[in-house]
Amino acid sequence: AVVSTQSTGAAFDGREVTVTPAGGAGYKAIEVVENKQDVYVHTTIIKKWDICAGDAILRTLGGKQTDLRGNDINYSHNLDPKNEHGLIATMHDHETYREKLQGVSNS
């Protein structure tokens, strides 16, 4: 899994999890799109402009990106530019990963 913190590994109940630290939200989303990683998880506040391109690419190719609560992220220009509820990006099994990560968000 591509993740920003080690704390998410515990959410997978003993399943072998590889935490791959990497800079850049766009890079992490592309790793998921290319099936090099199963999931990208971000648990802290992140600016929406850092995640919108990856979200667009994921959705165009059949993937999904939501906050950790399962809500679509609203990129409307008149809203707060911060995404405060973490994010999860996947190409498959999105809800399964999201359920396992409930309660991980630092927000």
Side-chain angles (χ1 to χ4, degrees):
V2 173
V3 295
S4 296
T5 64
Q6 295 275 345
S7 64
T8 57
F12 291 95
D13 305 321
R15 178 176 164 212
E16 187 172 325
V17 174
T18 302
V19 176
T20 308
Y27 174 79
K28 295 170 189 172
I30 294 301
E31 289 285 286
V32 172
V33 166
E34 293 179 342
N35 290 314
K36 293 178 181 175
Q37 304 294 334
D38 297 315
V39 59
Y40 161 35
V41 178
H42 194 95
T43 61
T44 59
I45 294 172
I46 189 169
K47 298 291 176 79
K48 292 177 183 175
W49 56 70
D50 290 327
I51 61 175
C52 62
D55 192 358
I57 293 167
L58 277 158
R59 289 175 189 278
T60 298
L61 298 174
K64 189 170 186 177
Q65 179 171 293
T66 65
D67 66 22
L68 290 173
R69 298 174 178 177
N71 300 312
D72 287 336
I73 298 165
N74 187 336
Y75 298 101
S76 182
H77 74 283
N78 58 342
L79 296 177
D80 188 343
K82 296 179 291 201
N83 175 48
E84 297 186 358
H85 303 293
L87 75 82
I88 180 169
T90 62
M91 288 300 292
H92 54 82
D93 301 324
H94 188 85
E95 194 59 25
T96 300
Y97 285 113
R98 195 193 66 75
E99 287 174 3
K100 288 192 175 290
L101 290 162
Q102 284 185 328
V104 172
S105 177
N106 292 335
S107 60

